[in-house]
Amino acid sequence: MYRSNAIDRVLELTNGKGADKVISATPANATQAQALYMVKKGGLVVFFGGVPKGSKTELDTNLIHYNNIWIKGHFGASYDQSKRAFHLATSPNFPAEKFITHILPLDEINHGIELTKTGEAIKVVLHPWD
């Protein structure tokens, strides 16, 4: 059985049952493989973070089969939504400046992240040359 501190912690928190849903949102093959050992029987694993192109994640298909684990891939937007957003954002009629609430030098990136997390900022532009 695959073991890690993260798996052990999830099992500890769930009294050995596993989580109802596990979302692997990192671009790492290992986290996708570990997710199968964190989810309960009949649970759902969602692969949200894409792994490096061309890499393969080794999955224990017996674990998936015998524990009735559901696996779903998810991406933030559909192709049509992404295409429409691109055309809108590159349109000369789109008022992008209305969405930029802060312009900061690159060395204030952590401050920019905090501004977006708290909802104070909508979009932060970072200038690497300032």
Side-chain angles (χ1 to χ4, degrees):
M1 180 175 172
Y2 193 95
R3 299 304 303 183
S4 75
N5 289 339
I7 294 168
D8 290 340
R9 185 68 177 132
V10 169
L11 293 176
E12 178 186 326
L13 290 169
T14 61
N15 295 317
K17 282 181 42 181
D20 294 335
K21 295 177 184 131
V22 176
I23 301 171
S24 174
T26 63
N29 300 92
T31 60
Q32 288 183 343
Q34 289 175 17
L36 298 179
Y37 295 92
M38 295 178 184
V39 71
K40 73 177 187 178
K41 290 183 179 184
L44 173 67
V45 172
V46 178
F47 293 155
F48 184 75
V51 296
K53 195 171 200 150
S55 69
K56 307 279 189 229
T57 299
E58 187 173 324
L59 301 176
D60 183 342
T61 58
N62 277 328
L63 186 67
I64 296 166
H65 173 74
Y66 290 111
N67 287 341
N68 192 30
I69 296 171
W70 289 81
I71 298 175
K72 180 180 178 181
H74 182 73
F75 181 68
S78 71
Y79 172 77
D80 286 336
Q81 290 170 327
S82 296
K83 186 176 169 183
R84 286 177 55 208
F86 173 77
H87 288 297
L88 176 62
T90 58
S91 165
N93 299 324
F94 182 70
E97 65 281 349
K98 285 187 174 183
F99 296 92
I100 299 170
T101 56
H102 295 77
I103 298 173
L104 302 171
L106 183 58
D107 65 355
E108 289 188 36
I109 188 171
N110 290 330
H111 178 60
I113 291 169
E114 286 304 312
L115 289 169
T116 56
K117 281 183 178 178
T118 63
E120 186 177 336
I122 297 174
K123 289 291 180 188
V124 176
V125 173
L126 298 170
H127 281 207
W129 52 87
D130 287 345

